[in-house]
Amino acid sequence: MSEEIKVQLTATPGEKPDSQKLGFGKYFTDHMFVMDYHKDKGWHDPRIVPYAPIVMDPAAMVFHYGQAVFEGMKAYLTDSGKVLLFRPDQNMQRLNCSNDRLGIPEIDGDFVIHAIKTLIEIDKSWIPTEKGTSLYIRPFIIATEPCLGVRSSYTYQLIVILSPVGAYYSGGLEPVKINVESDYTRAVRGGIGFAKAAGNYAASIKAQENAKKDGFSQVLWLDAIEKKYIEEVGSMNIFFKIGGKVITPAINGSILKGVTRSSVIALLQEWGVPVEERKLSIDEIFEASQQGLLEEVFGTGTAAVISPVGELHWKEHTMKINEGKIGELSQKLYDTITGLQSGNLPDTRNWTITF
Amino acid sequence: MSEEIKVQLTATPGEKPDSQKLGFGKYFTDHMFVMDYHKDKGWHDPRIVPYAPIVMDPAAMVFHYGQAVFEGMKAYLTDSGKVLLFRPDQNMQRLNCSNDRLGIPEIDGDFVIHAIKTLIEIDKSWIPTEKGTSLYIRPFIIATEPCLGVRSSYTYQLIVILSPVGAYYSGGLEPVKINVESDYTRAVRGGIGFAKAAGNYAASIKAQENAKKDGFSQVLWLDAIEKKYIEEVGSMNIFFKIGGKVITPAINGSILKGVTRSSVIALLQEWGVPVEERKLSIDEIFEASQQGLLEEVFGTGTAAVISPVGELHWKEHTMKINEGKIGELSQKLYDTITGLQSGNLPDTRNWTITF
C-alpha cells in the first residue's frame, strides 16, 4: 500500500496526565490513525485525525457478531530522545494471523508500521519518561457494515490509538498469586484461542473476576479437553523453571503466540538455558513442587513484560515458588527485555526500530 | 425498573423497503430503544429515539474485549391487526444468562419487553405482512467504557433495533445441504457457547464461509473434545428423526438453548412423538442412515423457524435424507410454529403476547 497518509491536527491538544498516575489504558493521546476497508476498494483512505469518538451504525456487525481483532505494542523514549519500537513486525504478522482466522481482510504490515511511526511522531510529547512507563499502542480492526446476516463484513475500520501507561508494577516486580481455573475454559483447538480476538477476552472475564474476589491476581488456564495441560495465565503466556530447565506450553492452536514469549525463548537459548516448548500438565508441576524442583514461574506479555508468580493454587494445594520472591532468571529476563526496550542495552538481534 | 421511557420521534420517517426484497437484517425502522448502564447508577435513561448512528469512544471496551450479547426475536402482524410476540420471556431469560457469563449486568426482562412493545407500537407500520415476513427484533448490549484494562466494563448500552425481514426461504421450505465440520470448533465446555455472545459468531464465520465455497449452506458442528458428538448446525439447534424417535443434543454448556428448540420439544411431547435430549454421535447418525432409519433432519432457530436438511456430508460419505424432500414432521412443526406466530392457530400454551 502506498497511499499517502492525510494528517489533520487537533486544534485543542489535551492536557498530559500525571505520569505517576497513568495506570493502564486510561488516557489517550491527541490523535489516532484510521483506515477504511471496503470489499470493492480494499484498504483505503489512511488518515491521522484528532482522537475523537467514532460514529457507527447500531447494526454494525462488530456489535453483533464480534469480528474484532487487535494488537498490543509499546513505544519507548530512549535516553537520546529517539522513539523505540520492539519487534513491531511480529505484531503485524500476528494481526494478519488473527485476521485470517476471523475472516477479516489482510493488512499491509509495513504500511501499518509506517502509519504507527507517523502517528507517534505527531504525539511524541505524550511518551512518558518515568522508569517503567511507555506509550502503549493499540491497533484494532472492527467490522462496520450495518447488516444482521451472519457472515464476514464487507467493510472494516483499522484504528490505532495511543495510551501513555504506567509501570505495570508500581512497586517494581512483584510476584503474584494465581489460581488454577478448574471450571471455565479460555479456548480449545479449532477455535480462536491463537488469535488476538475480542471474543477470547470476553470469554475470560468472568473467571478472572472470580479469581480476584478470591484474592488471586490471575487465573491459570488449563486445556479444555483434558483439563490437565497448562495453556496461559490471565492474558499472558507462562513459563516454568523446573530443575534447571525452562518449560512453556507449545503453540497448539489455543494459545496466543506472544511476542514476549518468543523473545524469552530466544534469550534463554542464547544464554544456554535449556528451554522446552511442549505439553506440560498441572500434575507435573505439582510433582516438581513437591520435590522442591519448581524453581521459578513467570508470565510474559506486552503489558507486564515479565510477571513473576509467587504462589500457585490448585484445588486444595498451595505451591509456594522461590519463597514468594522473584527468581533470578525472571529478574534477568525482565532487565534484559526492558533494557532492550529502553534502548539501554545494545540491540544485537534486530529486534528494535528507532526513529 | 419503573423509569418512564422518554420518546423522541423522528422528523424524517424513512421509506419502507419493497416487501418482496427484504432479505435479512438489511433495513431498519425509524426508531430504536436505548438504555444506559453505569455501575453506580444501574440501568437508567430508557428512551426511544430516531434510528441513528451511535457515537462511541474508540477505546470502548466492546471493540477490544468483546463484551457483547444479543437476542433475536420476531414480531408478527395478525389478521386482526394486532402485534404478536412469541415467547419473549424466554429471550429475556437467555439474555440474562448470557449477561451472567460475560460479566454484563442483569436486565429487568419485563421492563425490556415493555420497552420493545412501546418501540414496536411506534414503528408498527414497518411490520411487513407478506406471508413468511416479520419484524425482526434485535436487542443487544455492548460495553462502552473507554478503557484498555481487561475486566468487565463499568458502563453499557442496551439497544433494540427493528428490521423488517423476508421469508427465510423465498421459495418456501427448502431442504439444505450441510457439511460436518471436522477442523474448526464453535465452542467447548467451560466456554461461552451457551451464551448468545458476539464472540461465538466471530469464531464460526470462517468455517461457514469455507462450507459455502464448497457448496454447502451450513456446517454441522461437532463437540471440541471428542470431535464426535453433534452440537449445532450453523447458528441453529438441530434435530434428527431416527426410527420414529426425535433426538436433539442435550444442553451441555456449549450449545445455545434455543427458544425454537424448546418449543419444538414441547410440541413433540404434546403430540406423543418420542423425543430425547442426549449425546448423539455422528457415527450413530451415519449408522442410522446406512440402515435406512435416518428419516428427518432439521435445524431450528428464530430466523428460519424450521430448516430441513436434505443432505448431510461427513468425510467421504453423503447421507441423503428423505430423498432430499421435506419430512412430514418438519413440515408439521413449521406449520404449527408459524401458525402460532401469525396468530392463525390458537395459543393454548401461553406462548404469545398480543397488543
Side-chain angles (χ1 to χ4, degrees):
Chain A
M1 198 168 162
S2 59
E3 206 175 331
E4 206 191 323
I5 298 173
K6 273 176 253 121
V7 177
Q8 181 203 341
L9 296 181
T10 183
T12 54
E15 212 172 300
K16 309 276 188 310
D18 179 346
S19 68
Q20 303 287 345
K21 294 177 182 162
L22 290 173
F24 186 80
K26 294 194 296 183
Y27 301 99
F28 299 93
T29 68
D30 283 328
H31 300 89
M32 60 186 188
F33 172 77
V34 183
M35 180 164 72
D36 296 316
Y37 178 90
H38 186 285
K39 80 176 167 80
D40 299 331
K41 293 170 76 173
W43 288 107
H44 63 279
D45 197 12
R47 57 204 186 269
I48 287 169
V49 292
Y51 185 98
I54 50 180
V55 171
M56 306 240 326
D57 197 286
M61 289 171 104
V62 64
F63 297 136
H64 304 272
Y65 307 130
Q67 262 188 304
V69 295
F70 69 92
E71 273 302 323
M73 310 152 70
K74 282 179 175 174
Y76 308 83
L77 206 61
T78 67
D79 286 347
S80 59
K82 295 217 166 216
V83 181
L84 185 148
L85 297 179
F86 186 72
R87 309 186 77 182
D89 55 314
Q90 298 288 308
N91 294 92
M92 293 302 118
Q93 270 180 32
R94 188 172 61 187
L95 184 54
N96 271 332
C97 177
S98 303
N99 284 341
D100 179 61
R101 180 61 184 85
L102 276 282
I104 295 174
E106 197 177 0
I107 51 104
D108 174 343
D110 290 339
F111 182 79
V112 175
I113 292 175
H114 163 62
I116 288 171
K117 287 165 71 173
T118 310
L119 177 64
I120 294 176
E121 266 173 0
I122 290 170
D123 280 343
K124 189 174 169 182
S125 63
W126 284 83
I127 307 180
T129 52
E130 308 266 330
K131 194 173 158 55
T133 63
S134 58
L135 187 69
Y136 184 79
I137 305 162
R138 170 55 61 91
F140 64 105
I141 303 177
I142 50 178
T144 53
E145 188 190 351
C147 175
L148 300 184
V150 180
R151 57 163 171 76
S152 287
S153 176
Y154 294 156
T155 63
Y156 298 86
Q157 265 193 336
L158 179 150
I159 301 176
V160 182
I161 55 178
L162 305 175
S163 172
V165 297
Y168 201 79
Y169 300 103
S170 46
L173 270 188
E174 207 171 299
V176 296
K177 280 189 198 180
I178 63 179
N179 189 39
V180 179
E181 173 60 47
S182 46
D183 297 325
Y184 295 109
T185 51
R186 183 188 162 273
V188 69
R189 64 177 174 203
I192 60 170
F194 68 87
K196 212 161 172 69
N200 287 328
Y201 294 79
S204 77
I205 287 173
K206 186 158 184 174
Q208 291 281 21
E209 300 207 330
N210 287 347
K212 284 252 159 79
K213 274 183 215 141
D214 294 337
F216 300 105
S217 298
Q218 302 270 359
V219 299
L220 183 69
W221 299 103
L222 297 182
D223 81 285
I225 294 171
E226 300 185 53
K227 290 285 208 172
K228 184 174 160 180
Y229 296 103
I230 308 298
E231 297 245 318
E232 296 190 18
V233 57
S235 45
M236 291 186 278
N237 294 117
I238 188 155
F239 288 75
F240 297 83
K241 183 160 173 267
I242 297 177
K245 268 198 295 206
V246 178
I247 308 161
T248 192
I251 297 302
N252 62 357
S254 54
I255 294 176
L256 194 77
K257 199 175 164 187
V259 177
T260 313
R261 176 187 180 279
S262 78
S263 307
V264 162
I265 293 171
L267 288 173
L268 292 174
Q269 285 169 338
E270 268 185 41
W271 297 342
V273 179
V275 53
E276 296 176 359
E277 297 177 68
R278 63 166 167 90
K279 270 185 154 185
L280 175 65
S281 73
I282 184 69
D283 307 87
E284 180 179 346
I285 290 163
F286 181 63
E287 210 169 295
S289 162
Q290 293 286 83
Q291 296 172 350
L293 295 173
L294 184 58
E295 297 152 358
E296 297 189 35
V297 181
F298 55 92
T300 64
T302 295
V305 187
I306 299 290
S307 174
V309 177
E311 241 181 71
L312 184 55
H313 290 249
W314 175 48
K315 294 178 184 165
E316 70 281 12
H317 310 297
T318 298
M319 301 172 234
K320 199 99 179 170
I321 297 138
N322 198 34
E323 294 167 354
K325 298 195 308 276
I326 300 152
E328 203 181 316
L329 193 62
S330 310
Q331 184 73 53
K332 184 176 173 188
L333 284 163
Y334 179 81
D335 293 342
T336 306
I337 296 174
T338 55
L340 290 165
Q341 289 173 338
S342 62
N344 291 332
L345 288 179
D347 174 21
T348 56
R349 300 164 195 88
N350 236 338
W351 279 356
T352 63
I353 294 181
T354 49
F355 55 98
Chain B
M1 196 168 163
S2 58
E3 204 176 331
E4 206 190 322
I5 299 172
K6 275 177 251 118
V7 177
Q8 182 204 340
L9 297 181
T10 182
T12 53
E15 212 173 301
K16 309 276 190 307
D18 179 345
S19 67
Q20 304 287 345
K21 294 177 182 162
L22 290 174
F24 186 80
K26 294 195 295 183
Y27 302 99
F28 299 94
T29 69
D30 284 328
H31 300 89
M32 61 186 187
F33 173 76
V34 183
M35 181 163 72
D36 296 317
Y37 178 90
H38 186 284
K39 80 177 167 79
D40 299 332
K41 293 170 77 173
W43 288 107
H44 62 278
D45 197 13
R47 57 204 186 268
I48 288 170
V49 293
Y51 185 98
I54 51 180
V55 171
M56 306 235 334
D57 196 286
M61 289 171 104
V62 64
F63 297 135
H64 304 272
Y65 306 129
Q67 263 188 303
V69 296
F70 69 91
E71 274 300 323
M73 310 153 69
K74 282 179 175 174
Y76 307 84
L77 206 60
T78 68
D79 286 348
S80 59
K82 295 216 165 219
V83 180
L84 185 147
L85 297 179
F86 185 73
R87 309 187 77 183
D89 55 314
Q90 298 288 308
N91 294 92
M92 293 303 119
Q93 268 178 33
R94 188 173 59 187
L95 184 54
N96 271 331
C97 177
S98 303
N99 285 340
D100 179 62
R101 181 62 185 85
L102 276 282
I104 296 174
E106 197 178 0
I107 51 104
D108 174 344
D110 289 340
F111 181 79
V112 175
I113 292 175
H114 163 62
I116 288 171
K117 287 165 71 174
T118 309
L119 177 64
I120 294 176
E121 265 172 2
I122 291 171
D123 280 344
K124 190 173 168 181
S125 63
W126 284 83
I127 308 180
T129 53
E130 307 266 331
K131 194 172 158 54
T133 63
S134 58
L135 187 69
Y136 184 78
I137 305 162
R138 169 57 59 91
F140 63 105
I141 303 177
I142 51 178
T144 54
E145 188 189 350
C147 175
L148 300 183
V150 181
R151 57 161 171 77
S152 288
S153 177
Y154 294 157
T155 63
Y156 299 87
Q157 266 193 336
L158 179 150
I159 301 176
V160 182
I161 55 178
L162 306 175
S163 172
V165 297
Y168 202 79
Y169 301 103
S170 47
L173 271 188
E174 208 170 296
V176 295
K177 279 190 199 180
I178 62 180
N179 188 40
V180 179
E181 173 60 46
S182 46
D183 296 325
Y184 295 110
T185 52
R186 182 188 163 273
V188 71
R189 63 176 174 203
I192 60 170
F194 68 88
K196 212 162 171 70
N200 287 327
Y201 294 80
S204 77
I205 287 173
K206 186 157 183 175
Q208 291 281 25
E209 300 206 332
N210 287 347
K212 285 252 158 78
K213 273 182 215 144
D214 295 336
F216 301 104
S217 298
Q218 302 272 0
V219 299
L220 183 69
W221 299 103
L222 297 182
D223 81 284
I225 294 171
E226 300 185 53
K227 291 284 207 171
K228 183 175 164 179
Y229 295 104
I230 308 298
E231 297 246 317
E232 297 190 17
V233 58
S235 46
M236 292 186 277
N237 294 117
I238 187 155
F239 288 74
F240 297 82
K241 183 159 172 269
I242 298 176
K245 269 198 293 205
V246 177
I247 308 161
T248 192
I251 296 301
N252 62 355
S254 54
I255 295 176
L256 194 77
K257 199 175 164 189
V259 177
T260 313
R261 176 186 181 278
S262 78
S263 307
V264 161
I265 292 171
L267 288 172
L268 293 173
Q269 285 168 339
E270 269 186 40
W271 297 342
V273 179
V275 53
E276 296 175 0
E277 296 177 68
R278 64 167 168 88
K279 271 186 152 184
L280 175 67
S281 73
I282 185 69
D283 307 270
E284 181 179 345
I285 290 163
F286 181 63
E287 209 168 295
S289 163
Q290 292 286 82
Q291 296 172 350
L293 294 174
L294 184 58
E295 296 152 359
E296 297 189 33
V297 181
F298 55 92
T300 64
T302 295
V305 187
I306 300 290
S307 173
V309 177
E311 242 180 72
L312 184 56
H313 290 249
W314 176 49
K315 295 177 182 166
E316 70 281 13
H317 309 297
T318 298
M319 302 172 233
K320 199 99 179 171
I321 297 138
N322 198 35
E323 294 168 353
K325 298 195 308 273
I326 299 152
E328 205 181 314
L329 193 62
S330 308
Q331 185 72 53
K332 185 176 171 188
L333 284 163
Y334 179 81
D335 292 343
T336 305
I337 296 174
T338 55
L340 289 166
Q341 289 173 338
S342 61
N344 290 333
L345 288 180
D347 173 20
T348 56
R349 300 164 196 88
N350 236 338
W351 279 357
T352 63
I353 294 180
T354 50
F355 55 97

